[in-house]
Each structure stands twice: as C-alpha cells, then as structure tokens.
Amino acid sequence: MSVVTFLFTDIEGSTRRWEADPEAMRVALETHNKVLREAVEVNDGKVFNYTGDGMCAVFDSPRFGGRRSNRRPVGAGVAGADGHRDRRGRAPRR
C-alpha cells in the first residue's frame, strides 16, 4: 500500500467571470494552468486532468521532497504572476 496526495483546483466564480469578461477569464485560466502545472511538476507531481476551470494532480507523497520536506503540496500555495493570495488573504509560502 502506498500513500498519494491529490490536488484539485477550481477557479471560484468562474461562470460569472466568463460572462462578465471572457477575455480576462481566458487569460486567468491560462495563467492558472501554467503556474499550477509548473508548481506540480517541480514538486514531482503529475497533472492528470483539466476540468474546464480547474485541474487535478497527484503526488506520490503527502510531503514535498528535498529542501521542502516539511511542507505539504496542498498547503504550499501558488501565486500567479500577479501575486494572487489564498482565500484568507495570505501570500503563498516559497
């Protein structure tokens, strides 16, 4: 038996955002996918599905390896190029 960690993302309010400004939402989705894909891959994870406005990834461990061995993938946070913060307004840890 092995332990894996799944990461599921979703852009909150995406339907409303698509309706309000499709071009801005297209850019936001491209940024979301690029930033998260890179973060997943650099931490030895694998993206296995895109869900329209989200993605699904898997890590073979509940912890990052190497110098970040005390951090969990889902708790690490990822900032977009424009410095997005999590729902609590916190900047992601690096």
Side-chain angles (χ1 to χ4, degrees), residues 11 23-33 84:
I11 298 176
E23 180 57 22
M25 185 58 194
R26 184 189 63 74
V27 171
L29 183 59
E30 286 175 5
T31 301
H32 167 273
N33 289 347
H84 287 120

Side-chain angles (χ1 to χ4, degrees), residues 13-90:
S14 65
T15 300
R16 178 180 44 79
R17 293 171 194 226
W18 277 112
E19 292 168 354
D21 191 343
E23 180 57 22
M25 185 58 194
R26 184 189 63 74
V27 171
L29 183 59
E30 286 175 5
T31 301
H32 167 273
N33 289 347
K34 179 181 184 292
V35 169
L36 285 174
R37 183 180 58 251
E38 289 171 0
V40 166
E41 290 171 357
V42 78
N43 288 288
D44 300 322
K46 180 176 185 216
V47 175
F48 64 88
N49 192 26
Y50 290 92
T51 62
D53 69 339
M55 76 169 37
C56 306
V58 64
F59 298 84
D60 65 0
S61 169
R63 298 192 179 272
F64 286 132
R67 65 183 175 83
R68 297 184 213 151
S69 61
N70 64 337
R71 294 183 53 206
R72 297 180 187 280
V74 295
V78 178
D82 57 355
H84 287 120
R85 296 176 177 265
D86 70 12
R87 286 183 168 185
R88 295 182 182 147
R90 297 176 300 199

